[in-house]
């Protein structure tokens, strides 16, 4: 049986015949609109079974201490601090609404600028130095020797000493008259110097003090090193790579996720440096001395909250510090896409 269709190129009718004798349906032309596909019916959500609901309740019960802890010790203080930052509040009398006045005052306060400068100075030096020191300690902990257990213990013990006690120890060590540091400097011909009497050297002493806690980061680096497949080092030795080449071509790139983690935590700790400055400056003429050289951000926040009874202003400083930490962490994560390698395989 014959049927007709329009030729697309010449616009003529073409007759076709099917073998079964029935006419084939005409082919659609270019001008014919294609019918839209029928929309799929949305999948019906599978109802939760009694067993699944029970497992969910058990799981929530197990993590409930963590949820409660986050809400009570992190969520509520954040909300409350922001609310207090919008008021003038001394902790004794009622709060007076001032809006964003505390934030404006923080931006124009010269001591806030000084505190920010000191904190940035500390973080820029202490964080990279701390990562380098931690990697060196981790390399020492990773040696294949018989007494490695004793070495790891000795290298980690300084991290167990409370920062408060370490700060007192450093005050004694750098004493200009009887301190061991100045005694060693005299032996090499350098005159005794009051390292805590100069704003710059006082900050450098605190940077050195912060490295006593590098053992914690070193353990994380050690775990990262132990996770690198040995086959990669064997292949590198076959290709003639020495220990130094292996470190920079294998160990360091494959430790980049661990470096990122320690960089984030180091920035967070660097922005919140407090105990070292509090102890050292308290014994050298007052908080932040000499000449506000150790007036770090958290120390100035503490003075406003508990010495000047300006809890609203201190809360505004805390909110700004939180925002600065979030921005810096986000920036580091964004930049990490260029140097962090998560493919640690021996294939």
């Amino acid at each position: 049986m014959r049927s007709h269709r329009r030729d697309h190129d010449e616009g003529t009718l073409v007759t076709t015949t099917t073998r079964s004798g029935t006419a084939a349906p005409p082919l659609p032309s270019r001008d014919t609109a294609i019918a839209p596909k029928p929309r799929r019916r949305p999948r019906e959500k599978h109802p939760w079974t009694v067993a699944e609901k029970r497992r969910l309740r058990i799981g929530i019960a197990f993590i409930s201490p963590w949820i409660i802890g986050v809400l009570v010790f992190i969520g509520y203080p954040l909300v409350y601090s922001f609310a207090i930052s919008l008021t003038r509040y001394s902790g004794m009398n009622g709060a007076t609404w001032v809006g964003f006045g505390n934030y404006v005052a923080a931006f124009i306060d010269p001591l806030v600028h000084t505190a920010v400068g000191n904190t940035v100075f500390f973080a820029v030096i202490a964080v990279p130095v701390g990562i380098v020191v931690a990697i060196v300690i981790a390399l020492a902990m990773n040696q294949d020797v018989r007494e490695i257990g004793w070495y790891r213990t000795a290298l980690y013990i300084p991290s167990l000493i409370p920062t408060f006690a370490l700060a007192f120890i450093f005050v004694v060590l750098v004493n200009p008259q009887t301190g061991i540091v100045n005694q060693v400097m005299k032996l090499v011909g350098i005159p005794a110097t009051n390292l805590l009497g100069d704003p710059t050297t006082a900050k450098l002493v605190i940077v050195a003090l912060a490295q006593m806690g590098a053992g914690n980061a070193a353990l994380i680096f050690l775990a990262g090193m132990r996770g690198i497949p040995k086959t990669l080092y064997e292949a590198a030795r076959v290709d003639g790579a020495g220990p130094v080449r292996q470190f920079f071509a294998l160990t360091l790139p494959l430790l980049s996720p661990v470096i990122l983690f320690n960089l984030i935590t180091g920035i967070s700790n660097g922005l919140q440096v407090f105990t070292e400055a509090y102890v050292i400056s308290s014994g050298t003429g007052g908080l932040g001395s000499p000449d506000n050289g150790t007036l770090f951000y958290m120390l100035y926040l503490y003075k406003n909250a508990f010495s000047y009874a300006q809890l609203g202003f201190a809360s505004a400083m805390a909110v700004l510090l939180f925002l600065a930490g979030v921005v810096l962490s986000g920036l580091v994560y964004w930049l990490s896409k260029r140097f962090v390698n998560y493919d640690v395989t021996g294939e």
Side-chain angles (χ1 to χ4, degrees):
M1 193 171 187
R2 294 183 178 181
S3 61
H4 302 279
R5 66 176 176 86
R6 184 178 298 275
D7 190 13
H8 292 289
D9 296 331
E10 300 179 0
T12 58
L13 290 177
V14 179
T15 302
T16 59
T17 304
T18 60
R19 293 183 179 179
S20 59
T22 59
L27 298 177
S29 63
R30 292 181 180 179
D31 300 332
T32 305
I34 301 176
K37 294 182 179 179
R39 298 180 61 181
R40 294 183 179 179
R41 296 178 60 184
R43 288 185 176 181
E44 296 182 359
K45 293 184 178 180
H46 180 69
W48 286 43
T49 63
V50 176
E52 290 173 341
K53 292 180 180 180
R54 181 174 176 272
R55 286 195 294 267
L56 177 62
R57 288 194 297 267
I58 294 175
I60 294 177
F62 271 103
I63 66 173
S64 59
W66 179 84
I67 296 175
I68 295 173
V70 169
L71 294 177
V72 173
F73 298 108
I74 297 179
Y76 173 75
L78 284 175
V79 175
Y80 184 75
S81 295
F82 178 72
I84 292 298
S85 69
L86 302 176
T87 65
R88 183 182 293 110
Y89 182 52
S90 63
M92 300 295 180
N93 302 323
T96 303
W97 177 266
V98 295
F100 289 95
N102 288 322
Y103 294 92
V104 175
F107 277 107
I108 64 177
D109 188 347
L111 287 180
V112 171
H113 300 166
T114 301
V116 170
N118 291 334
T119 304
V120 171
F121 178 91
F122 173 84
V124 167
I125 298 178
V127 174
V129 171
I131 291 177
V132 173
V133 172
I135 291 177
V136 172
I137 295 176
L139 288 172
M141 290 180 171
N142 198 35
Q143 298 303 310
D144 188 13
V145 295
R146 185 176 181 181
E147 302 83 3
I148 190 60
W150 294 98
Y151 295 153
R152 290 175 180 174
T153 302
L155 291 171
Y156 183 71
I157 280 179
S159 301
L160 300 177
I161 303 176
T163 306
F164 194 84
L166 279 175
F168 274 111
I169 294 173
F170 262 68
V171 171
V172 176
L173 292 177
V174 300
N175 186 284
Q177 283 77 34
T178 60
I180 297 177
V181 174
N182 277 287
Q183 297 299 326
V184 174
M185 293 172 64
K186 288 180 181 179
L187 293 178
V188 296
I190 302 176
T193 305
N194 185 8
L195 298 176
L196 299 180
D198 181 78
T200 302
T201 56
K203 284 193 286 286
L204 294 177
V205 169
I206 297 177
V207 169
L209 173 58
Q211 309 315 314
M212 301 301 293
N216 293 319
L219 286 182
I220 301 176
F221 278 116
L222 176 62
M225 292 178 183
R226 304 291 289 184
I228 299 176
K230 294 183 179 181
T231 53
L232 297 178
Y233 291 103
E234 294 173 357
R237 284 192 293 269
V238 170
D239 291 339
V244 176
R245 179 64 176 173
Q246 292 177 28
F247 174 76
F248 286 102
L250 285 177
T251 306
L252 203 59
L254 296 180
L255 282 179
S256 54
V258 185
I259 295 175
L260 174 63
F261 173 79
N262 283 289
L263 180 61
I264 295 294
T265 56
I267 291 175
S268 177
N269 295 330
L271 295 179
Q272 300 179 67
V273 57
F274 171 77
T275 305
E276 302 92 330
Y278 179 86
V279 174
I280 290 177
S281 62
S282 295
T284 56
L287 297 180
S289 61
D291 195 21
N292 291 327
T294 59
L295 185 66
F296 295 109
Y297 193 89
M298 283 297 297
L299 188 60
Y300 188 49
L301 189 155
Y302 170 86
K303 291 177 68 174
N304 278 281
F306 301 103
S307 298
Y308 308 148
Q310 297 182 4
L311 294 181
F313 184 77
S315 297
M317 292 183 61
V319 172
L320 292 175
L321 179 63
F322 171 76
L323 295 177
V326 171
V327 171
L328 288 176
S329 299
L331 180 62
V332 171
Y333 273 116
W334 179 69
L335 294 175
S336 67
K337 298 177 182 178
R338 302 183 179 183
F339 67 87
V340 175
N341 175 33
Y342 293 99
D343 184 16
V344 186
T345 61
E347 299 179 358

